[in-house]
Amino acid sequence: MSSEYLKEEHPFVTCEITASDDGVQFIGILTYRGFENGRLSGPSLEAVRGQFQMLRELLDHQGGMLRRGTIMLGYHNDLLKGDVLLLDGEVIGYWEMEEDDDTSHFTPEGHKERAISAPSSWLLQDSIADWLGAYSDNN
């Protein structure tokens, strides 16, 4: 890696941005408490910083929870439902938690039926990440 390096911090995520050896690509590794939760990339340091700023806005103002490369809106602001996004902002579906317990459900974008249910939002987000891996492998 080149000498270009920047560390951006937020209470829920840190982004360590470095440049490739040729300086053509910049990668921002997103971590929370030492665990990698996704990567941002772009043609410049400012492009990746801009993506991280958008992520911070989702976390701060829309209750977003980042985990395993996905963002579930409506978690940290106690709505307990909202869109599920990829790191590039693409909406991949909708999630919601039942009122009487922590059981949470995910419905993919463009579908009417729930595809995944889990006993908590954390486990749901893990299941969505697993589903995305399986989905990506099949397309």
Side-chain angles (χ1 to χ4, degrees):
M1 288 287 168
S2 79
S3 62
E4 290 199 61
Y5 172 85
L6 179 68
K7 184 174 185 178
E8 298 269 337
E9 296 194 51
H10 179 272
F12 298 120
V13 65
T14 298
C15 183
E16 294 185 19
I17 305 170
T18 55
S20 61
D21 288 334
D22 59 9
V24 174
Q25 186 75 10
F26 288 78
I27 304 292
I29 299 174
L30 302 169
T31 59
Y32 176 68
R33 294 189 178 175
F35 294 97
E36 185 175 330
N37 276 289
R39 293 176 179 230
L40 304 173
S41 64
S44 69
L45 183 65
E46 287 307 312
V48 177
R49 287 183 80 193
Q51 292 174 37
F52 185 65
Q53 181 59 38
M54 298 266 304
L55 174 61
R56 291 171 61 151
E57 292 292 319
L58 293 172
L59 299 176
D60 290 342
H61 301 292
Q62 294 190 39
M65 177 171 63
L66 170 68
R67 188 168 170 84
R68 293 187 58 197
T70 62
I71 305 161
M72 286 179 28
L73 300 181
Y75 179 79
H76 287 292
N77 61 5
D78 295 327
L79 287 176
L80 304 179
K81 61 184 174 181
D83 288 334
V84 179
L85 313 171
L86 296 178
L87 294 177
D88 65 4
E90 178 186 354
V91 176
I92 60 166
Y94 182 82
W95 82 282
E96 62 185 322
M97 183 184 290
E98 292 184 8
E99 289 183 28
D100 57 344
D101 64 22
D102 289 344
T103 302
S104 298
H105 309 282
F106 171 73
T107 304
E109 185 72 7
H111 292 83
K112 294 181 181 178
E113 299 293 322
R114 298 172 175 163
I116 302 169
S117 295
S120 73
S121 58
W122 287 90
L123 292 174
L124 178 67
Q125 202 161 13
D126 285 344
S127 296
I128 293 169
D130 292 342
W131 174 80
L132 283 169
Y135 182 78
S136 297
D137 292 341
N138 293 326
N139 288 319

